[in-house]
Amino acid sequence: MGYHGGSYDVIVVGAGHAGVEAALAAARMGVKTLMITINLDMVAFMPCNPSIGGPAKGHVVREIDALGGEMGRNIDKTFIQMRMLNTGKGPAVHALRAQADKFSYQHTMKETMELEPNLTMRQGMVEELIVEEGQCVGIITKTGTEYRAKAVVLTTGTYLRGKIIMGELMYESGPNNQQPSVRLAENLRELGFELVRFKTGTPPRVHKDSIDFSKTEIQPGDDQPKFFSYETKSSDNEQLPCWLTYTSEVTHQIINDNLHRAPMFSGVIEGTGPRYCPSIEDKVVRFADKSKHQIFLEPEGKNTSEYYVQGLSTSLPEDVQLAVLRSIPGMEKVEMMRNGYAIEYDAMVPTQLYPSLETKRLPGLFTAGQINGTSGYEEAAGQGIMAGINAARKVQGEEPVILDRSQGYIGVLIDDLVTKGTNEPYRLLTSRAEYRLLLRHDNADLRLTTIGYEIGLITEERYQRFLGKKSKVEQEIERLAAVKVRPVEVNAMLEAAGSAPIQDGSNLLNMLRRPEISYTQIEQVSPSPVELDDEMKEQVEIQIKYAGYIEKQLQHVERLQKMEKKKLPEDIDYNEVQGLAMEAKQKLNTIRPVSIGQASRISGVTPADISILLVYLEHYNRVKAARA
C-alpha cells in the first residue's frame, strides 16, 4: 500500500483540451474532482497550431459553449485574430476560426481552473489504475501515491508511449519534449484493452524578424469579429494578421531528393498518420501533379517572435527542414527556432467504449480526446466535456447524457468513434454530418443550452437570456407571416434588390423567402416592434429561408429517433440470433450497440441484418413481458 493522497468523486488524468473540459464540467456539476497531470505548466497547452475553430471544429466549440464548457469563453478572451470562413457559402458551412495567443490561452485556462472551488489540481505521473471487483476505483502515481474515486477519466493525449521522430533521430517523449507516459500504456494492455499506434506531427517554428513579409499575402482578421461564446458580447483584443505564401518547385525537389531520409517512407514510423493533416513530404509524394502548396505564417502570440509554419508539418531531418523553409518565398533567410517533428503514441480502439465514453471492459473508467484516436483540440474538448458530464452523472446515480447525430457535431464525432472505430487519427469534417442544415454554427445554443441548463452547467441568468432570445425569434417569424403588404409598399424595395415585383398582396415572410432579399431590407419596410440584436435577426432569416430543407431533415431525424429508441438488451449473444450474417455477428458482439439505430450504422451490418434484429427484439420483448 502506497501513501493515500485522498478520495474524490471524479479523477481526471491529463490537462490538455479534453482534460480541462472534463475536470471543469465535473467540478461545476457539484462533484469533488481531482485533475492530475505530468506538468502543471502545460495545462491547455497548444503543442501544434495556435488556433481554435474552422470548419466543423468551430461548430464543436459553439456546442461546448452551449453546454456550459470553457473553450469558447477562453479563446474569446485570448484571441489575436478572428475570422469567419466560408462566408460566400450557405450558413451550414460558415465556420469561425481564431488565432490564439497560445501562452495567454493556457495561462487563462489554468487560472480559471485554479479558481474552481470543487477542483483540486495536482502534478504527478499516473502509472496504474486501481481495479477492485471489476470496477475502476482510482489511480496510482509514479511516487506510489494512491488516489481513490468513483469514476476516472483518462485524457492522456499523445503521451502514451510517446516517441518523437525527426529524420534518423528517435527518442521517447511526449509533445514539446515533455515526459512520456509508458507504464500507464502497459497497464491498459494488462487490463485487456486493445491499443493501436497512431502518429501526428507538427511544423517548424521560425523567427518573425527573419521573414520577408513583402513576398507574402496578408490575411487580416474580420473588422467586426464574431465570437465563439454566446456570453461574449464585445472585445477590445488587438488583432494580428497571418500571412500566406506557397511552396516552390525547389521545395518539392529538396523533399524528393531526401525521401530516403524521411521516416515516413524509410519504414521508421509504424503509426498511422492523419489523412486530413498530412506532412509536407506526404503531400509532395501524394499530389505530385501540384506545383505548389499553401503555407500560412501564423503568430504564436503577442509577446513572442515565434511564427508557426502552417502546412509544413514534417519529420524530415533538421538540415533538410531548414533547406525546405528557405526554398519558400519570403523565407529565403529564415531562422528556425524549433524543428518540426512527428510523434507516435498509443491510442485506445474506440469501439471499446459506450456512447457515454465509459469503457465497456472496466466500469467507472472513461476516456476522452486523442487517446480515443482523434486529432485536434476541438474534437478533444468536445469529448472531454461529455466524459466529464457522464462521469459526474455516474457518481450522482443519473443516466448518462448522450447527444445523437441530429443534436450536434459532438454527437456525430462520438457516434462515429464508438460505432465505426477509426484506423487513422479521426478529424471532424462537415461532410461527416448527415444533418448539416440542422447543425449550424449559429444555432448551437438553440440545440443544446437546455441540456446544459438541466445538468447544471448553464446559470439561471444565462438560461433566461436564452429563452428570451428564442421567444423573440419565434414572435418575429409569426409577425412576418401576419404582416400583409401591398405592391405599392414593397415593389420599389424589390426592384432595387433585383427581385421580381408582386402583383397582389403578400406577407413579409414570403418576401424574405426570396434568396436576394435580406432581413435588413424587410426591416426598412416594416421594423420589428421588439428590439432584436444581430444574432436574433440572423436566426429569423435563416429559419425562414431554409424552412423547407430544415423540415425535410427533421422528418428524417424523427425516423432515426424511432430506431434509437429501440434499445438492444445488454446480455444479448448475437451468435444465437438465427439468420444474421457471420460478419454482422462478429461486429455486433464486438461493438455491442445500445440501440437498433447504432447497430444500423456499424459497417458490415446490412439492412437485412437489421430486419432480423427487429424481429428478434420484438420476440425478446414479448417473452420478457410474459415473464414479468
Side-chain angles (χ1 to χ4, degrees):
M1 281 293 286
Y3 161 71
H4 185 57
S7 291
Y8 296 85
D9 292 319
V10 171
I11 293 174
V12 177
V13 179
H17 303 281
V20 295
E21 294 295 348
L24 284 169
R28 288 168 175 170
M29 285 169 71
V31 303
K32 190 180 169 197
T33 306
L34 169 71
M35 190 204 72
I36 185 160
T37 183
I38 294 171
N39 182 353
L40 278 174
D41 296 332
M42 304 296 281
V43 168
F45 180 70
M46 295 178 159
C48 202
N49 51 327
S51 70
I52 296 286
K57 293 167 176 279
H59 292 64
V60 169
V61 183
R62 293 282 268 188
E63 291 174 4
I64 291 165
D65 184 74
L67 288 166
E70 200 58 37
M71 184 175 249
R73 283 191 285 244
N74 204 62
I75 186 62
D76 285 351
K77 291 175 197 166
T78 59
F79 73 90
I80 51 176
Q81 190 191 92
M82 195 70 85
R83 279 184 89 175
M84 185 66 84
L85 310 178
N86 300 333
T87 49
K89 299 178 183 171
V93 290
H94 288 181
L96 196 57
R97 184 176 187 270
Q99 287 297 131
D101 184 315
K102 71 187 268 184
F103 309 102
S104 179
Y105 185 91
Q106 71 183 101
H107 296 150
T108 306
M109 187 69 91
K110 181 168 182 261
E111 186 182 11
T112 301
M113 300 188 75
E114 288 168 347
L115 295 173
E116 189 56 52
N118 258 334
L119 180 58
T120 303
M121 295 166 76
R122 286 262 197 293
Q123 184 163 292
M125 169 80 79
V126 174
E127 300 216 315
E128 272 180 58
L129 301 174
I130 304 171
V131 179
E132 286 171 5
E133 295 172 15
Q135 300 265 344
C136 183
V137 294
I139 56 164
I140 303 172
T141 67
K142 195 171 191 143
T143 57
T145 306
E146 287 187 8
Y147 295 93
R148 296 270 166 166
K150 295 166 189 155
V152 173
V153 184
L154 288 186
T155 67
T156 51
T158 59
Y159 281 77
L160 289 183
R161 288 202 315 126
K163 182 196 279 183
I164 279 183
I165 302 165
M166 201 189 308
E168 299 85 7
L169 175 69
M170 276 193 296
Y171 55 95
E172 287 197 341
S173 173
N176 210 36
N177 287 335
Q178 294 297 302
Q179 288 181 65
S181 172
V182 179
R183 176 71 195 104
L184 183 57
E186 290 165 1
N187 185 230
L188 287 170
R189 278 202 173 81
E190 288 158 10
L191 291 168
F193 287 106
E194 190 187 343
L195 303 181
V196 284
R197 199 81 176 141
F198 278 170
K199 162 200 109 73
T200 185
T202 190
R205 312 303 198 267
V206 298
H207 198 294
K208 174 188 177 180
D209 296 346
S210 64
I211 301 169
D212 179 355
F213 289 108
S214 69
K215 294 183 180 173
T216 67
E217 294 169 41
I218 192 164
Q219 306 279 303
D222 293 342
D223 293 337
Q224 292 286 298
K226 292 255 180 36
F227 303 107
F228 278 104
S229 176
Y230 287 92
E231 293 181 19
T232 311
K233 294 303 171 205
S234 65
S235 167
D236 53 7
N237 288 15
E238 181 197 346
Q239 296 205 58
L240 301 180
C242 296
W243 305 84
L244 170 64
T245 180
Y246 294 88
T247 57
S248 64
E249 287 184 3
V250 178
T251 314
H252 298 199
Q253 192 58 54
I254 294 168
I255 290 169
N256 282 318
D257 289 349
N258 284 282
L259 283 179
H260 62 287
R261 297 179 65 199
M264 280 287 304
F265 298 97
S266 61
V268 169
I269 287 182
E270 315 157 43
T272 311
R275 175 190 310 238
Y276 299 102
C277 187
S279 64
I280 189 66
E281 49 270 37
D282 203 12
K283 279 194 273 197
V284 166
V285 171
R286 278 212 329 239
F287 307 108
D289 54 322
K290 278 200 159 186
S291 61
K292 58 181 187 177
H293 294 282
Q294 283 189 327
I295 300 292
F296 290 96
L297 302 173
E298 303 176 342
E300 295 230 313
K302 288 196 296 283
N303 306 313
T304 175
S305 293
E306 283 191 67
Y307 266 59
Y308 177 89
V309 187
Q310 165 88 303
L312 208 75
S313 178
T314 183
S315 55
L316 285 161
E318 188 171 346
D319 57 314
V320 182
Q321 288 192 32
L322 187 59
V324 163
L325 284 168
R326 289 184 173 173
S327 69
I328 294 170
M331 293 206 280
E332 293 83 355
K333 294 181 177 168
V334 86
E335 290 298 335
M336 182 163 70
M337 294 178 74
R338 301 181 202 231
N339 303 330
Y341 59 82
I343 183 165
E344 268 189 1
Y345 55 96
D346 284 351
M348 178 86 77
V349 173
T351 49
Q352 298 171 102
L353 306 172
Y354 290 114
S356 63
L357 297 178
E358 186 172 16
T359 60
K360 297 168 185 172
R361 180 175 286 280
L362 189 54
L365 179 68
F366 294 76
T367 59
Q370 274 185 284
I371 186 176
N372 288 344
T374 55
S375 66
Y377 311 146
E378 303 84 354
E379 288 91 337
Q383 294 170 68
I385 191 168
M386 297 315 294
I389 287 168
N390 288 331
R393 300 272 293 178
K394 188 179 174 85
V395 169
Q396 292 165 340
E398 302 281 355
E399 285 294 303
V401 173
I402 291 161
L403 300 181
D404 70 39
R405 299 180 72 89
S406 67
Q407 286 176 292
Y409 273 91
I410 295 173
V412 172
L413 161 71
I414 293 173
D415 184 64
D416 276 354
L417 290 173
V418 304
T419 306
K420 299 173 183 160
T422 183
N423 51 13
E424 62 191 36
Y426 175 101
R427 177 181 181 172
L428 252 182
L429 307 163
T430 48
S431 59
R432 295 194 195 269
E434 56 274 56
Y435 304 116
R436 284 202 292 287
L437 264 180
L438 303 180
L439 308 181
R440 301 184 311 276
H441 180 272
D442 61 84
N443 71 350
D445 62 336
L446 295 171
R447 292 183 273 123
L448 299 172
T449 304
T450 302
I451 296 174
Y453 175 68
E454 284 167 359
I455 58 180
L457 287 177
I458 294 286
T459 62
E460 185 65 43
E461 183 211 356
R462 177 167 167 185
Y463 188 57
Q464 289 308 326
R465 267 206 323 271
F466 158 75
L467 290 178
K469 169 187 173 177
K470 195 172 168 218
S471 150
K472 281 182 177 179
V473 169
E474 286 163 6
Q475 280 171 13
E476 180 62 359
I477 292 173
E478 282 169 24
R479 184 186 82 86
L480 295 177
V483 174
K484 301 282 186 284
V485 284
R486 301 192 310 278
V488 66
E489 296 171 279
V490 292
N491 278 351
M493 178 271 285
L494 292 174
E495 282 173 32
S499 193
I502 58 170
Q503 307 304 322
D504 303 309
S506 181
N507 64 30
L508 291 173
L509 189 128
N510 283 333
M511 302 285 98
L512 190 49
R513 280 207 175 121
R514 298 183 176 198
E516 61 278 9
I517 300 298
S518 71
Y519 182 80
T520 312
Q521 287 153 315
I522 296 291
E523 259 186 313
Q524 287 161 8
V525 175
S526 170
S528 167
V530 184
E531 195 178 332
L532 303 176
D533 64 23
D534 290 345
E535 266 184 17
M536 293 172 196
K537 291 173 186 176
E538 178 185 45
Q539 256 333 292
V540 169
E541 187 164 336
I542 290 171
Q543 286 185 30
I544 288 174
K545 281 199 190 311
Y546 293 90
Y549 300 107
I550 289 169
E551 188 52 44
K552 272 192 197 133
Q553 290 213 333
L554 287 170
Q555 286 167 1
H556 194 171
V557 168
E558 219 169 289
R559 291 199 294 275
L560 167 94
Q561 281 170 343
K562 283 182 184 152
M563 301 280 271
E564 298 299 325
K565 281 184 182 134
K566 294 186 192 299
K567 298 293 181 201
L568 287 162
E570 279 183 25
D571 56 354
I572 184 169
D573 180 356
Y574 292 97
N575 291 325
E576 297 188 356
V577 180
Q578 298 294 313
L580 280 180
M582 186 52 78
E583 185 182 0
K585 287 179 179 179
Q586 287 169 349
K587 294 274 177 73
L588 290 162
N589 276 324
T590 305
I591 292 168
R592 309 213 60 76
V594 292
S595 66
I596 292 281
Q598 190 188 356
S600 71
R601 293 189 295 275
I602 297 171
S603 52
V605 174
T606 65
D609 295 318
I610 293 299
S611 302
I612 290 162
L613 272 184
L614 283 165
V615 172
Y616 172 86
L617 190 59
E618 195 135 316
H619 173 70
Y620 178 95
N621 289 336
R622 270 209 306 274
V623 171
K624 196 174 165 187
R627 284 187 186 145

